[in-house]
Amino acid sequence: MARCPGIVSGQRSIRAGGISGMKTAIERLARIMAVLGGVVLTLLVILTCVSVLGRGLNTFGHSDLVTDGFGAWLIGTGVGPVTGDFELVEAGIAFAIFAFLPICQLYSGHATVDIFTSAMSERVNRWLQAFWEVVLTLVILLITWRLSAGMMDKINNGETTFLLQFPIWWAYAASFVAALVASVTAIFCAIGRVTLAATGRSILPASGSDAL
């Protein structure tokens, strides 16, 4: 029995709308994670600068370059490195790395070497991109899985940091959330790359699908 052209067209429109909506949602989520990663990274830079300045002033107050009275006053103000700065930087940098990963994945921001592939045809390059996209997706999924396992392990043993005494699983949880977003983005990108290689139609953002 012949199918009504209007029904077929409607089904295609619904499918295209669903894919477009998914792309918009993932793109928005990736941008939000990138903004959060940028905010955290900015705060870490400020924290590091304050800590280094405090450590320098504390050292200056103990040096022979200042009078005893001024040195005692300077030290008495409490200047010094920020307590637990290394612990905060370690946790924050881990989160920032995973927070930037979704948008980097979505827009093909990873470093590539095209010395040999530049001489190949566009079709071959698309299949190569699809292959490595799938491989990278599997790696991201593996990392996310191990992060969740590590987080559960830290929750169960109650381990805390040495100076600030905050639970280590907090840092794992923040990185896991970002890695989870990266995993969803990676799966979408892998499907998009394979679709592009097989059919020539792209469901990825323009800047990602054009990066060959």
Side-chain angles (χ1 to χ4, degrees), residues 15-33:
R15 191 181 301 114
I19 293 175
S20 178
M22 184 183 300
K23 180 176 70 173
T24 301
I26 290 178
E27 189 173 10
R28 186 173 300 167
L29 192 58
R31 288 181 179 275
I32 290 174
M33 290 306 304

Side-chain angles (χ1 to χ4, degrees), residues 11-205:
Q11 290 176 342
R12 289 177 177 174
S13 297
I14 292 174
R15 191 181 301 114
I19 293 175
S20 178
M22 184 183 300
K23 180 176 70 173
T24 301
I26 290 178
E27 189 173 10
R28 186 173 300 167
L29 192 58
R31 288 181 179 275
I32 290 174
M33 290 306 304
V35 170
L36 288 176
V39 170
V40 169
L41 198 59
T42 301
L43 292 176
L44 291 179
V45 171
I46 295 174
L47 171 67
T48 302
C49 291
V50 171
S51 187
V52 170
L53 179 62
R55 184 179 286 107
L57 289 175
N58 185 275
T59 302
F60 181 69
H62 284 90
S63 69
D64 297 330
L65 300 176
V66 297
T67 62
D68 292 340
F70 179 75
W73 172 83
L74 186 61
I75 296 172
T77 61
V79 295
V82 177
T83 303
D85 54 348
F86 289 105
E87 297 172 354
L88 292 173
V89 169
E90 184 178 14
I93 287 295
F95 168 77
I97 290 173
F98 285 106
F100 292 134
L101 189 55
I103 201 165
C104 184
Q105 188 79 2
L106 191 61
Y107 290 106
S108 298
H110 300 292
T112 58
V113 179
D114 58 356
I115 297 176
F116 301 105
T117 57
S118 59
M120 298 178 182
S121 67
E122 181 178 335
R123 181 176 177 80
V124 172
N125 273 289
R126 284 179 174 175
W127 276 112
L128 282 174
Q129 282 191 324
F131 170 77
W132 288 115
E133 195 80 44
V134 171
V135 171
L136 186 55
T137 297
L138 293 176
V139 172
I140 293 175
L141 290 174
L142 175 63
I143 293 174
T144 304
W145 168 49
R146 296 316 302 165
L147 267 176
S148 66
M151 179 181 67
M152 295 306 300
D153 181 64
K154 298 304 179 183
I155 290 176
N156 293 331
N157 64 28
E159 186 177 352
T160 61
T161 61
F162 180 72
L163 295 176
L164 296 180
Q165 294 293 302
F166 67 80
I168 291 181
W169 73 264
W170 290 359
Y172 274 79
S175 297
F176 173 70
V177 170
L180 201 59
V181 176
S183 296
V184 174
T185 306
I187 292 173
F188 177 76
C189 290
I191 294 173
R193 288 294 180 188
V194 173
T195 301
L196 177 63
T199 66
R201 295 193 302 268
S202 176
I203 63 173
L204 297 176

